[in-house]
Amino acid sequence: HLRIGRVPTPNTPLADRGEIVFDIVAQFNRSSPLIATRAEREQVAELNLLAAERARSSTAYASARRYLPAGAALLDESCWTTTPALAFRLQLQRAECAFLTDAPDEAEDLLAELSRRARGTVERSRVACLQIAMYTTLDQGERAIAMGLAFLRVHGMEWPEHPSDDEVRHEYKRTREQVSAGSRDGLLAAPLTTDEEAEATLDVLSKLTVPAFFINVPLFALIVCRTVRLILESGNSDASPAAYVRLGIVALRLFGDY
C-alpha cells in the first residue's frame, strides 16, 4: 500500500521520483492494461527502467528483473524505431540482471538480439563488454575473445587471433617508441578523451585483456600495446590506468625491458 502523504501522480517531477519510484511503478504496473496511449506507455516503461536501475544499484538484481520485463512489455516492436535508446537500455539491463542472477542462457539470448539491434559504436561496445564479461566469468575465454574480436572487425580493426612473436615484438617496439617520445608528466597531464567512440573501443579492449591474459598471452600483449597507442592518440579514459600497468607487465615479462 502507498504511504499516506507520498501518493505519486503522473505529474510528479522527475527529480522527485527517485525516492518514491517503487511506489509509482507498483501503482502503474497494477493498472498497465488501462494505459492506453503510446506516450503514457513509454513513460511508464521508463519509470520501470528507473526502478530497475535503483534496485540494481543496491545489488537487488532479482527485484530489478521484475521491473525490466514489465517495462519492455509496455512497448511494441516499433519501439526500436520510435524510442530506440529506451528499448536498448531496457534490454541491456535485462541481460545483465539475468546474468547476475544465474540465468546465463536468457542473458545470452537477449545479448544476441541486442547485437543485431545495437546502433553505432557506443551501443555495440556496451553489448560486447557484457558478452566478454559473461563468458569470462563462465570460464569460456575463447568465446569471450571471439566476441571482442568480432566487435573490432565491425569497426575496421582486423586483428590476428594468434599473433606471431614477430608481430608482438613489432607492436611493442612501436608502442615503446611512442611512449618514450613523451614523458611521465606528459601522460599525467594528457587530457581526458572527448571521443565517445574511442572511449567505447577502449572499454572493449580493457575487458578483452582479461580472458586473453589467461589463455592467449601473445594476443594479450598485442591488445595492451594497441590500447596504449589509442590512449595516446585520443586521450585518457577509465581504461588508461590498467592499460599503463599492463604495458609494464608486457615490457617485463615478455621483453625483459626493465
Side-chain angles (χ1 to χ4, degrees), residues 2-251:
L2 299 178
R3 290 183 289 277
I4 295 175
R6 301 190 66 199
V7 179
T9 73
N11 298 318
T12 300
L14 184 61
D16 297 333
R17 289 176 180 174
E19 292 299 319
I20 56 174
V21 65
F22 301 112
D23 291 341
I24 295 174
V25 169
Q27 176 172 311
F28 278 117
N29 285 352
R30 281 196 293 269
S31 59
S32 59
L34 304 177
I35 305 173
T37 70
R38 171 176 289 182
E40 289 173 336
R41 295 176 74 83
E42 289 172 357
Q43 183 183 22
V44 177
E46 192 165 357
L47 287 170
N48 272 279
L49 176 61
L50 177 60
E53 288 174 341
R54 286 183 64 83
R56 176 180 168 279
S57 68
S58 302
T59 67
Y61 304 120
S63 296
R65 284 189 71 186
R66 293 197 297 271
Y67 296 116
L68 294 164
L74 290 162
L75 305 177
D76 57 28
E77 183 65 21
S78 67
C79 68
W80 293 102
T81 302
T82 57
T83 55
L86 174 60
F88 178 85
R89 289 171 63 198
L90 280 165
Q91 189 90 323
L92 187 70
Q93 292 278 3
R94 286 181 69 185
E96 183 176 22
C97 289
F99 164 53
L100 292 171
T101 53
D102 198 27
D105 291 341
E106 179 185 347
E108 187 173 27
D109 290 342
L110 290 168
L111 288 171
E113 181 185 357
L114 265 184
S115 66
R116 297 189 295 270
R117 302 272 197 182
R119 305 164 304 144
T121 304
V122 175
E123 286 191 355
R124 293 191 193 102
S125 166
R126 295 186 67 186
V127 175
C129 283
L130 185 51
Q131 288 173 320
I132 293 168
M134 181 176 72
Y135 290 126
T136 300
T137 303
L138 296 173
D139 197 21
Q140 298 179 29
E142 294 287 354
R143 294 190 71 182
I145 290 172
M147 292 298 170
L149 295 180
F151 168 86
L152 296 172
R153 279 195 298 273
V154 168
H155 296 282
M157 292 175 274
E158 194 71 39
W159 291 11
E161 185 174 349
H162 298 283
S164 67
D165 291 345
D166 286 342
E167 286 174 315
V168 173
R169 190 175 295 107
H170 175 69
E171 291 293 335
Y172 175 70
K173 182 180 178 181
R174 287 183 63 191
T175 306
R176 184 75 167 82
E177 290 171 351
Q178 196 166 343
V179 170
S180 298
S183 65
R184 182 187 64 182
D185 290 341
L187 290 176
L188 291 171
L192 294 176
T193 183
T194 57
D195 186 334
E196 289 187 352
E197 292 192 359
E199 187 172 11
T201 300
L202 287 168
D203 287 343
V204 173
L205 293 173
S206 185
K207 293 284 187 185
L208 191 53
T209 53
V210 178
F213 178 80
F214 289 105
I215 65 176
N216 191 334
V217 172
L219 181 60
F220 167 80
L222 187 74
I223 293 168
V224 168
C225 290
R226 294 190 179 180
T227 300
V228 170
R229 291 215 305 278
L230 180 57
I231 291 169
L232 295 177
E233 293 166 5
S234 63
N236 281 314
S237 75
D238 288 344
S240 298
Y244 294 143
V245 171
R246 288 163 180 159
L247 183 61
I249 295 172
V250 171

